[in-house]
Amino acid sequence: MNIALIIAGGSGERMHQDIPKQFLSINDRPVIVYTLEAFEHHPEIDEIAVVCIEGWEQVLMAYARQFGITKLKSVIPGGDCGQASIRNGVYALEKSHAKDDIILIHDAIRPLVSAEIISDCIRVTSMYGNAIAVIPCAEAMLTTDDEKVSTGSYPRDGLKRTQTPQGFRLGDICDLHRRALKKGITGSIASCTLMIEMGQQVHFSIGSEKNVKLTTLEDIDIFKALLSAKRSEWLKQ
Ligand SMILES: C[C@](O)(CO)[C@H](O)COP(=O)(O)O
């Protein structure tokens, strides 16, 4: 079974809005609905679970009903950071699913994830046990200690920019979180960084510049432009 675990536990402070960014309405629907629809319509996804920020669970369920998200089977409480939210999600799924089920962990605020990205993440996870969606680093990279000046650069060929989905076998990701807690690792920024911090190898699957993460208000403008390009494509077909 392939399960999408959507992480919507954050409050979105960097967006400076009154409501969490995953619930902001863009055009005709909330950001999280675009994300849920991508997994709902993917033929290889059997089930969706959402780790949800406290107080928004009923709103989420109402949107799922309104927009026909029938694969949503569980809503799980968020934690006090990304690692804790993901841990809550995988531990909850462990109670009712098999250890070798594939879990695709995905940011609720990456609403333009494509069917191709989801398929490739499932394919690579089936083959190697994990998969991290990545894109190449196209810019020159500089290091800085003070955010103002730089005296160092880093070769971009040795770098990948990570995205989500990030795929794992359920038993493996639960085990990773248990071992991380025992070692006192609690603030890793993503599942892939937690894997690396725990000394494990990760495999790459395809990402896309269009699989944008909505972090700041500027990203909302990019999202709207990409949506309008997508709609023009549909109209041409
Ligand atoms: C998981 C992630 O999207 C990979 O690029 C990223 O690490 C999430 O970062 P955030 O600070 O939790 O938005």
Side-chain angles (χ1 to χ4, degrees), residues 14 21 107 109-110 162-164 166 189-190 192 213 215:
R14 287 168 289 183
K21 56 190 172 182
D107 298 327
I109 40 107
R110 286 190 189 269
T162 66
Q163 302 188 330
T164 61
Q166 303 193 354
I189 56 171
C192 58
K213 178 157 86 73
T215 307

Side-chain angles (χ1 to χ4, degrees), residues 69-227:
I69 309 296
T70 58
K71 292 182 184 171
L72 177 62
K73 302 296 178 210
S74 21
V75 179
I76 301 152
D80 56 7
C81 64
Q83 185 179 329
S85 286
I86 294 172
R87 187 172 61 236
N88 287 359
V90 295
Y91 284 4
L93 289 173
E94 193 184 30
K95 292 179 190 153
S96 50
H97 293 78
K99 279 187 175 9
D100 66 347
D101 281 351
I102 287 180
I103 308 298
L104 297 195
I105 300 171
H106 185 73
D107 298 327
I109 40 107
R110 286 190 189 269
L112 288 179
V113 61
S114 67
E116 194 190 9
I117 290 175
I118 295 171
S119 298
D120 200 54
C121 193
I122 294 172
R123 183 186 67 80
V124 176
T125 307
S126 307
M127 284 175 76
Y128 301 109
N130 65 62
I132 310 300
V134 296
I135 51 174
C137 205
E139 295 88 3
M141 305 306 287
L142 300 183
T143 57
T144 183
D145 294 326
D146 64 0
E147 303 285 325
K148 291 180 192 146
V149 296
S150 174
T151 53
S153 67
Y154 198 93
R156 67 182 173 189
D157 290 347
L159 292 176
K160 289 285 182 199
R161 290 165 57 201
T162 66
Q163 302 188 330
T164 61
Q166 303 193 354
F168 304 91
R169 298 269 176 205
L170 179 58
D172 293 343
I173 188 76
C174 287
D175 183 52
L176 181 81
H177 278 273
R178 282 199 188 93
R179 287 187 291 112
L181 273 187
K182 269 196 195 146
K183 273 186 92 174
I185 299 176
T186 53
S188 202
I189 56 171
S191 302
C192 58
T193 54
L194 188 60
M195 286 283 285
I196 304 281
E197 283 172 64
M198 293 298 292
Q200 289 193 233
Q201 188 180 61
V202 295
H203 294 260
F204 299 146
S205 59
I206 59 159
S208 165
E209 290 284 357
K210 292 181 184 170
N211 183 18
V212 58
K213 178 157 86 73
L214 308 185
T215 307
T216 64
L217 279 178
E218 205 176 16
D219 300 324
I220 297 282
D221 292 336
I222 296 169
F223 176 42
K224 284 182 177 165
L226 288 168
L227 269 183

